[in-house]
Amino acid sequence: MMNNSMSTLVTQTAVIQLLEDEGVEYRLLPHSKPAKTIEEAAQERGVDPQQMVKSILLRDMSGFHVLACVPGPAQVDPKKVRDIFGCRRMTCADATDVEKVTGLVIGTVAPIGLKNPLPLIFDQSIQQHELVNISSGDRMAGVELSTDDLLILCDPMMADICR
């Protein structure tokens, strides 16, 4: 059972606000403690790590950013993303950069509710599941929604971007 202070805290994130505004059905999956890894988060939420959508902010040398989303246990391949966008070199953004660009701290980034619009690219394997899990924008909860709804909200490019 969720206590009120927590439900208030979590429902005030930009992610939850967007889902509410768009009238998208979702299920809030509270954590008993903040998760540090995808595996921990999946365990806290009682879901398959494959259904977790991990959002990784990449940047090239010119400061161009892309949000790459892959299934929980997978690794994003910056080279594949770089080739798609025609960038020279891509690396994972550091914590400061993530916060500045997305408005969210590392570990709470989702492909929706971002501070600034970003190019989004999803690994096509995300479509294998009917339901997916994203961060709620808060370390203490995840959000489960239909994959179709997420794709409609994000309208991402789809490609093979895993290692």
Side-chain angles (χ1 to χ4, degrees):
M1 198 63 204
M2 264 182 8
N3 64 32
N4 279 345
S5 65
M6 182 167 146
S7 66
T8 318
L9 185 75
V10 174
T11 50
Q12 287 170 339
T13 71
V15 172
I16 302 289
Q17 196 57 60
L18 181 83
L19 294 171
E20 295 282 344
D21 292 349
E22 296 291 331
V24 173
E25 268 184 53
Y26 68 93
R27 198 163 64 104
L28 198 61
L29 304 170
H31 294 196
S32 62
K33 61 182 189 295
K36 291 186 178 60
T37 64
I38 284 289
E39 289 68 28
E40 277 179 31
Q43 206 168 6
E44 282 287 320
R45 298 175 197 178
V47 299
D48 176 351
Q50 286 292 342
Q51 286 177 272
M52 309 270 298
V53 174
K54 187 163 64 179
S55 303
I56 308 290
L57 186 66
L58 299 171
R59 72 183 298 262
D60 77 356
M61 295 162 82
S62 71
F64 169 75
H65 291 87
V66 175
L67 194 65
C69 296
V70 298
Q75 293 296 315
V76 68
D77 185 340
K79 283 198 184 93
K80 289 181 180 178
V81 177
R82 179 190 76 192
D83 292 347
I84 291 163
F85 286 95
C87 301
R88 279 211 318 271
R89 189 168 156 247
M90 283 211 127
T91 54
C92 290
D94 64 23
T96 315
D97 211 20
V98 167
E99 218 168 319
K100 204 168 64 194
V101 174
T102 66
L104 296 159
V105 297
I106 280 191
T108 68
V109 178
I112 58 172
L114 298 163
K115 187 170 77 171
N116 303 300
L118 281 170
L120 293 172
I121 187 159
F122 277 39
D123 187 79
Q124 54 219 16
S125 64
I126 286 172
Q127 292 169 294
Q128 290 169 1
H129 300 281
E130 211 170 304
L131 294 171
V132 286
N133 259 260
I134 59 173
S135 174
S136 65
D138 184 293
R139 285 190 187 278
M140 289 305 287
V143 172
E144 183 178 75
L145 71 163
S146 88
T147 307
D148 291 347
D149 282 342
L150 183 63
L151 295 175
I152 289 164
L153 286 172
C154 294
D155 194 21
M157 287 175 69
M158 301 299 283
D160 166 21
I161 59 166
C162 289
R163 284 213 163 112

